[in-house]
């Protein structure tokens, strides 16, 4: 059973930084982060495939966020810099045993089994 568990959310002022962590039990080819703001759909923020050779970022976070993974710790990270109020959302970690190696698309397979964490809140004030 793959069970992600996030940590590291919180409140920060605009321009600040936060780092999210997610421990994933079991092997996962594709791991990543999604976010959902009130009244909006859940969107993919960043994903990382296998050892990290292939990463994907949404246009809204490219250049500010960095996704990485530590295989020894079964952990995926999201370093978030230059945070803006529009980054305020619940952030969810997701993992899947399968994946696709694209840098222009999240590595999750459409319709594939995906495991979700409980979410961690990120709030950015202006």
């Amino acid at each position: 059973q793959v069970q992600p568990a996030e940590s590291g959310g919180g409140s920060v002022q605009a321009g600040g930084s936060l780092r999210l962590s997610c421990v994933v039990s079991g092997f996962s080819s594709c791991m990543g982060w999604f976010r959902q703001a009130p009244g909006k759909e859940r969107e993919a923020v960043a994903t990382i495939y296998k050892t990290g050779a292939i990463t994907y970022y949404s246009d809204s976070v490219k250049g500010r966020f960095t996704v990485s993974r530590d295989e020894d710790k079964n952990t995926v990270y999201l370093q978030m810099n230059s945070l803006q109020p529009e980054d305020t959302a619940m952030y969810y970690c997701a993992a899947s045993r399968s994946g696709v190696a694209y840098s222009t698309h999240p590595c999750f397979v459409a319709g594939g089994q995906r495991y979700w964490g409980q979410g961690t809140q990120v709030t950015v004030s202006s």
Side-chain angles (χ1 to χ4, degrees):
Q1 180 72 17
V2 179
Q3 183 57 57
E6 308 100 334
S7 62
S11 297
V12 65
Q13 289 190 327
S17 299
L18 285 172
R19 188 174 85 152
L20 306 182
S21 301
C22 176
V23 179
V24 181
S25 58
F27 171 74
S28 300
S29 291
C30 176
M31 303 168 74
W33 295 91
F34 292 70
R35 68 185 181 187
Q36 187 167 20
K40 295 187 176 181
E41 292 187 354
R42 190 173 297 188
E43 62 172 348
V45 174
T47 67
I48 187 164
Y49 180 70
K50 289 192 175 178
T51 58
I54 304 295
T55 56
Y56 160 84
Y57 296 95
S58 67
D59 288 342
S60 61
V61 307
K62 199 171 295 184
R64 300 187 298 123
F65 291 11
T66 302
V67 63
S68 61
R69 61 193 286 171
D70 185 328
E71 299 296 329
D72 292 337
K73 298 180 179 179
N74 290 336
T75 301
V76 60
Y77 303 97
L78 185 67
Q79 177 66 44
M80 304 184 293
N81 298 328
S82 301
L83 284 161
Q84 300 300 316
E86 52 266 34
D87 295 316
T88 295
M90 184 71 77
Y91 284 70
Y92 296 91
C93 176
S96 174
R97 291 192 177 94
S98 61
V100 290
Y102 294 131
S103 62
T104 57
H105 187 277
C107 59
F108 292 95
V109 176
Q113 179 71 54
R114 197 175 303 182
Y115 301 90
W116 295 96
Q118 295 296 312
T120 185
Q121 179 68 37
V122 171
T123 302
V124 185
S125 58
S126 58

